[in-house]
């Protein structure tokens, strides 16, 4: 959740980033993945085997040198108009959610300009241009380049390097050790906690609304697997929105449970224990199902209605996590978030009056229902939650330069100009974040606007609630990566999504964070960036200042400590390593230390980052 921030125009956001859009198709649904390297003969030691290349381009000539071994690919270098293309067909397995193209590039040029790109090397996968280099990238030796190509999972495409030289002054593009590594298929626990379970949930939901879209009834089932070596005797459902009621009178009701025996609600009616018929051993699966009722309370909230407009964030019961610390049954917090879940698949059918638009997580398809009604079927793969809205919204749509469909839904009172500005912001922001951390995998993004939201903005996978504010919307879209794709325990480690997202927002808006740590003033010796929501609920006036403000300033300082390039690589690689997984402070600190020769011990202490 994000407090209200100053607004900028969508055009200002795009101008501030200085980033070109990366056109990528959608990611295929991930399954189990065997990590692999799919480029053949990437070191060119077998000559032209597996490659299509001009005669003499793959060579061991002494005019240039290999990065490793004795052979390499030498494109251009003639000092006259010339084009060389090196290509190979590659297949990326559908089950692997992470794919990284890597290669060593040496650019040698006789050009003397420091500002004009006369000679260019273009890297393409299929019809998509991934990157372009030129005589301006000339260096004395090889530079390792990496590009995220996760969006091409499940495709067979041509990898091509094309060098184009103008009429005078040679530029040589020398390539070696080309790799395309695939990994990261499923939702299996991260190495830091192999006990995290239940894993790989699949939710199937069918709900029918009343005439207003504020009351829903139907059925939900969830199938899951025990990933832990310890038996799974029970599961817990989190009925988060019961915190908005007065227990035991609750807005979320679960009845007629099958697949286990329910116990009375606990944790202010937000936790429902279901004892399984028999313990599940590691690798075994189970299913629980139940009838579900949802009544949306009054209020412009993440779960509430503002007049005719209903917002249903955290309304579907979802499985709690058991890890090395035991079951996570933390209380609901209105100050931030309590949510902690693994990536899951959702298939949700919403039957509603045709007069209502229903933005939702995932990709939606509308079909006619009974007289005067529409059935919206929304499917979402590898998401941590499912949210939707219902009301007489005004909808406009666009597509980002990278091919992400963006829909903006506005309540009455939001001008057409403001809606259009936010659409421009959203289409730009989703591509900017994707270029830094990895391709947006969900294909579609819904932004629901209401200037009555007291909280500024709120993130869900593929679905955000927001005010008309470029900064706030850029932040909430950044949460698609930091909380959504890269998960965390939002109650016990809120900095892992809020600080990282605010840092990403600064980068997207061209803010360097210079000097921001100079304004840090701790309220007490107990105050830490890494404190849990239990601490921040008791010290609520300091939550935003420390977790958002000091947190992002610490990341800016880390960037200055290890260097811009190292920080860029660290965050991209960290996101890829935790794609659809869960981040912890200890894992991030270890990754940061591995990215630099600087001892970061005093850095963590100074910035009060524990864990």
């Amino acid at each position: 959740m994000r407090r209200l921030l100053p607004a900028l125009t969508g055009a200002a956001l795009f101008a501030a980033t200085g980033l070109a859009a990366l056109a990528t198709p959608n990611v295929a649904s991930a399954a189990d993945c065997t990590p692999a390297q799919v480029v053949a003969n990437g070191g060119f030691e077998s000559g032209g085997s597996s490659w299509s290349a001009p005669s003499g381009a793959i060579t061991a000539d002494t005019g240039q040198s290999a990065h490793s071994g004795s052979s390499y690919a030498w494109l251009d270098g003639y000092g006259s108009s010339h084009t060389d293309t090196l290509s190979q067909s590659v297949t990326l397995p559908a089950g692997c959610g992470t794919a990284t193209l890597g290669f060593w590039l040496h650019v040698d040029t006789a050009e003397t300009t420091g500002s004009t790109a006369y000679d260019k090397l273009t890297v393409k996968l299929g019809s998509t241009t991934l990157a372009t280099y030129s005589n301006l990238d000339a260096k004395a030796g090889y530079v390792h380049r990496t590009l995220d190509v996760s969006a091409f999972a499940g495709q067979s495409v041509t990898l091509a390097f094309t060098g184009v030289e103008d009429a005078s002054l040679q530029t040589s593009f020398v390539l070696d050790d080309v790799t395309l590594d695939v990994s990261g298929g499923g939702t299996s626990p991260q190495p830091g906690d192999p006990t995290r379970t239940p894993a790989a949930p699949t939710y199937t939901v069918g709900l029918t609304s009343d005439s207003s879209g504020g009351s829903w009834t139907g059925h939900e089932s969830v199938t899951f697997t025990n990933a832990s070596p310890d038996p799974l005797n029970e599961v817990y459902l989190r009925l988060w929105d019961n915190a908005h009621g007065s227990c035991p009178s609750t807005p979320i009701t679960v009845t007629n449970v099958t697949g286990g025996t329910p116990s009375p609600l606990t944790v202010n009616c937000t936790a429902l224990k279901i004892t399984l018929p028999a313990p599940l051993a590691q690798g075994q699966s189970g299913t629980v199902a139940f009838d579900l009722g949802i009544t949306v309370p009054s209020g412009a909230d993440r779960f509430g209605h503002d007049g005719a407009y209903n917002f249903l964030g955290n309304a579907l019961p979802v499985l709690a996590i058991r890890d090395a610390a035991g079951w996570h049954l933390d209380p609901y917090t209105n100050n931030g978030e309590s949510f902690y879940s693994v990536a899951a698949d959702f298939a949700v059918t919403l039957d509603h009056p045709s007069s209502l638009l229903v933005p939702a997580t995932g990709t939606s398809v509308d079909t006619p229902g009974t007289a005067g009604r529409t059935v919206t079927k929304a499917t979402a793969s590898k998401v941590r939650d499912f949210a939707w809205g219902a009301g007489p919204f005004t909808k406009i749509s666009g597509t980002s330069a990278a091919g992400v469909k963006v829909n903006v839904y506005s309540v009455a009172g939001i001008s057409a100009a403001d809606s259009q500005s936010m659409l421009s912001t959203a289409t730009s922001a989703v591509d900017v974040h994707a270029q830094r951390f990895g391709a947006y995998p969900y294909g579609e993004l819904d932004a629901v606007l209401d200037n009555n939201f007291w909280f500024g903005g709120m993130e869900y996978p593929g679905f955000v609630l927001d005010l008309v504010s470029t900064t706030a919307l850029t932040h909430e879209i950044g949460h698609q990566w930091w909380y959504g794709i890269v998960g965390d325990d939002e109650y016990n480690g809120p900095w892992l999504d809020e600080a990282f997202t605010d840092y990403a927002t600064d980068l997207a808006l061209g803010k360097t964070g210079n000097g921001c740590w100079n304004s840090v003033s701790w309220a007490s010796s107990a105050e830490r960036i890494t404190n849990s929501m239990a601490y921040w609920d008791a010290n609520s006036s300091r939550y935003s200042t420390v977790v958002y403000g000091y947190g992002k300033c610490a990341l800016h300082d880390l960037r200055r400590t290890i260097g811009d390039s190292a920080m860029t690589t660290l965050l991209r690689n960290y996101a890829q390593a935790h794609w659809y997984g869960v981040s912890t402070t200890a894992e991030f600190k270890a990754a940061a230390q591995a990215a630099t020769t600087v001892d970061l011990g005093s850095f963590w202490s100074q910035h009060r980052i524990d864990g």
Side-chain angles (χ1 to χ4, degrees), residues 5-60:
L5 294 168
L8 295 174
T9 66
L13 165 65
F14 193 71
T17 63
L19 290 175
L22 175 63
T24 52
N26 297 340
V27 172
S29 176
D32 291 338
C33 171
T34 301
Q37 197 289 103
V38 300
V39 168
N41 188 29
F44 306 106
E45 300 304 314
S46 298
S49 174
S50 301
W51 293 100
S52 174
S55 176
I58 297 176
T59 181

Side-chain angles (χ1 to χ4, degrees), residues 82-169:
H82 190 82
T83 298
D84 282 335
T85 297
L86 172 76
S87 64
Q88 178 180 146
S89 178
V90 294
T91 299
L92 287 72
C96 296
T98 301
T100 302
L101 173 65
F103 53 93
W104 289 87
L105 173 64
H106 169 52
V107 181
D108 171 19
T109 188
E111 300 283 0
T112 58
T113 179
S115 59
T116 304
Y118 291 113
D119 310 311
K120 298 179 181 180
L121 176 74
T122 301
V123 185
K124 298 180 74 172
L125 202 56
S127 61
T128 299
T129 298
L130 303 176
T132 301
Y133 307 95
S134 73
N135 48 281
L136 300 178
D137 296 298
K139 295 279 191 283
Y142 279 89
V143 176
H144 191 224
R145 307 288 187 175
T146 58
L147 301 168
D148 174 48
V149 293
S150 303
F152 292 85
Q155 298 186 40
S156 293
V157 287
T158 297
L159 169 64
F161 301 85
T162 300
V164 179
E165 202 173 14
D166 71 356
S168 65
L169 300 177

Side-chain angles (χ1 to χ4, degrees), residues 67-86:
H67 172 258
S68 66
S70 59
S71 296
Y72 56 91
W74 185 352
L75 305 184
D76 296 338
Y78 292 91
S80 60
S81 296
H82 190 82
T83 298
D84 282 335
T85 297
L86 172 76

Side-chain angles (χ1 to χ4, degrees), residues 378-465:
T379 56
S381 177
K382 303 299 178 284
V383 297
R384 298 182 191 279
D385 203 347
F386 185 97
W388 74 101
F393 297 102
T394 299
K395 176 186 176 183
I396 60 174
S397 300
T399 303
S400 79
V404 178
K405 182 180 179 182
V406 178
N407 305 303
V408 171
Y409 295 82
S410 302
V411 304
I414 304 252
S415 70
D418 280 345
S419 295
Q420 189 61 51
S421 175
M422 291 299 95
L423 177 61
S424 178
T425 292
T427 54
S428 300
V430 71
D431 285 354
V432 168
H433 292 312
Q435 286 215 319
R436 286 200 170 91
F437 309 122
Y440 179 75
Y442 301 131
E444 186 171 315
L445 174 65
D446 292 342
V448 182
L449 305 179
D450 186 338
N451 277 331
N452 291 330
F453 289 139
W454 64 268
F455 46 84
M458 179 64 199
E459 69 279 1
Y460 295 97
F463 178 99
V464 298
L465 304 173

